[in-house]
Amino acid sequence: MAPRKSKKKAPSFRKLLKTSNIKIENKLKNRQFKQQSIAKKHRKEQKKLKQALNNAATRTPLPLERYKKRPEDEEDEEEFEETLPVDMMEEDDLEQMKAMAQKASFLTRDLSSSEPVHARKRKQENVMDKYEKVPRLMQKEQEKELIHLLPIKDKTGIIPQTMEKPVVKKAEKENEDEGDGDGAEEVNAPKPLPLLTTQELVVLRRKRLEERKVCIAALGSSILSDPSANIKKLKELRSMLVELDPYVAVTVRKLVMVSLMEIFKDIVPSYRIRPLTEAEKSTKVKKETQQLREFEEGLVSQYKFYLENLEQTVKDWKQMKKKKSDVVSLKSYKGLAEVAVKCLCELLVALPHFNFHNNIIVMIVPLMNHDCKKISEMSCEAVRKLFKQDKVGQASLGMVKVISGLVKSRNYEVKPEVLKALLCLRVKEVEVKKDADDIAPKKRFMNFKEKRKHLSRMQRKWKKAEEKLEKELLEAEATECKEKKLKLHTETLNIVFLTYFRILKKAQKSILLPCVLEGLAKFAHLINVEFFDDLLIVLHKLVESGDLSYRESLHCIQTAFHVLSGQGDVLNIDPLKFYTHLYKTLLRLHAGTANDDMIIVLQCLDVMLTKRRKQVSVQRALAFIKRLTTLSLQVLPNSTVGILATNRVLMHTFPKSDILLDNESQGSGIYLPELDEPEYCNPQNTSLWELHTLQRHYHPIVRKFAAHLIVGAPSEGSGALNVDLSRKSATDLFEDYSIKGMTFNPPVATPSSKKKEKFTIGDALLDSDLKKQIDSHLEATSIPSDLNFAAHFRKVARFGTMVFNT
């Protein structure tokens, strides 16, 4: 019977090729698995062998136990040996006993061995075998691991490729670690100072300083060239703030502080960086966005650490505590603190929008009241700059809050400069009334339906482009929200006035009172109407008390009239007492170089007389014009120019004041210059004779104004002033012609070089009788003792009446 045929089909070539590939892959996998298992077993054996070697090396044999015998037992043994009958034994027997004792197993066996007591002695015992069995330390190399590479296909088949993994020896690692440790110790631990001469020390210090400067410059330039890529170098540069080289430590720290300050001013963005939320951290973003996040995070952290270093420097100087590891002397702390405060002030002004600005404010404000004059001036100047450049008001609000808290916490015992800084606030720009641009309706863009209805396709296309351009222009011209700005300024002013009113109520005799009065005079037009009555009563009491200086009383008057000229017009209050006080104290004005009070006087006159012209009588205006003209004779040229400019404005405001240019008197009575009441001193019966004196003044501008006022202060004609002089206010003229630099503006002409004629002794008098009378009086040696001036005056008066009657 024929063999049964198999029904299976013969496999094709592709199938055979496919199966052969699978078999080859399986073989490779099996081979790799076997290699891995063999290597794993080998590693385990090596691990066990290492452990055994370590145990054998560290194990120490236990010593045999020895018991000390008691002294009683020793005495008993000696007595027993003495009682033994040794003399009765023969010498041969004694030697035999000693030989047997030496061969006894219980005496000669090693008690520390673990062999049984009655074990037979091995014959032909080899000493070398025992020595080989003892484990010993062997120098073994670390096992080399294999890295499996991509296989190579050849005619014979696939050839696997492997490579030995490079292994760093432990000795090299230890040497590297030791080297790193030594380097760290060299960086951290200061080198001992070698014994050098002064010249060598200077050269060494210069060399090291140049090296540090090059390093700082290299790091700074690399950071500025690409901040996002080199943000990590900020940490390297900041680490130089703890320079430990005693030769250059102070200078290097100062240079690093200033360099980091300039770097942060350049690379800090124009927005505030907020921390990311958990949801934002978990979401996937683009590569550019991730790089930007990393840059912002690194920048904020390094900026924070830098500010902490500056703060710690200032604290160390305040506490005068020297650290153990610090190589800077206590005397150098002040210089470092000054540089740190300078950097903080620069960052306060340059980066008011960035993170940690409130922290800088908290550090700077207490330094405004510091005893060190230089640091206090730097802090106050930085705060004033911040107030002047802050257009929105957010930074100013934070600063005012901290200043108010400082004044209250110190019980109003702070320097006046702290409150004087508040005068630089830009709150005067707030306007309650809306502008025409705000009232006008905003332009509305057309919607899609309107465009389709009224415009063609091409017109719609142009309209779309036009609206897009207009939106971009509006975004470019966008400013801060006026409502937000108004709200911030209102809150700022509330805190300022709260501080001022507290001082007026609780510390009227404080040195802060002049600053408070000056601040109220500046911001009085923004005070709420509800406080007007109480404020005017307090100001009047301060003026009448007589405890104020002249400048403080002027500030009180200025504040009162600012209040009444603004929202106070609705109040029915007569400020006659303030007019009287200013009129009375005008002649007390300082006539020397310290004439800074004159500008306050000019501002008060402008508010009291010019802006309130409807509430001022002619008698009051005439009295002030006469008093001011008298005052112009005794003050400096710039003050005289300001007073004459004020008189010119008053003569234009009150046309009836031209009677002061007449020699004839009007009405009854005579002028009473010593009277303190401007309403009752009869100013209409006098004239401005001082102008004739001022026409011969040494200052050319004073002469021009005097000649202009004598002819009635005309606006046109030959007696009119130049446009430059006529359009400027009195305060501007006072500032323009100031002589603070000890120079005249314009320069005064030098006197003529003609020599004065000598006085000739002889018949110089024309009247011979008068000459004889003078000579007789000069030759008389005795002086009459009875000098009755009253009788002489009556005699002259009687003679005058007789002449008048005839």
Side-chain angles (χ1 to χ4, degrees), residues 624-636:
F624 271 98
I625 291 173
K626 177 61 180 176
R627 181 62 63 94
L628 287 171
T629 311
T630 306
L631 178 64
S632 64
L633 296 174
Q634 67 182 36
V635 292
L636 295 177

Side-chain angles (χ1 to χ4, degrees), residues 357-425:
H357 189 257
N358 292 332
N359 302 75
I360 301 176
I361 290 174
V362 173
M363 284 190 281
I364 290 294
V365 170
L367 296 175
M368 297 172 68
N369 193 40
H370 201 271
D371 296 333
C372 182
K373 185 178 179 181
K374 188 174 181 180
I375 289 180
S376 178
E377 288 178 354
M378 283 194 296
S379 305
C380 294
E381 184 63 27
V383 173
R384 286 193 289 269
K385 284 184 181 177
L386 179 66
F387 284 152
K388 288 178 182 178
Q389 74 177 19
D390 186 19
K391 297 180 181 179
V392 182
Q394 186 70 43
S396 300
L397 178 60
M399 182 68 73
V400 168
K401 285 182 179 179
V402 180
I403 290 175
S404 177
L406 175 70
V407 174
K408 187 178 179 182
S409 62
R410 299 289 176 87
N411 197 15
Y412 313 106
E413 294 180 358
V414 296
K415 289 184 176 181
E417 287 77 10
V418 178
L419 287 185
K420 282 183 180 178
L422 297 176
L423 299 175
C424 298
L425 285 168

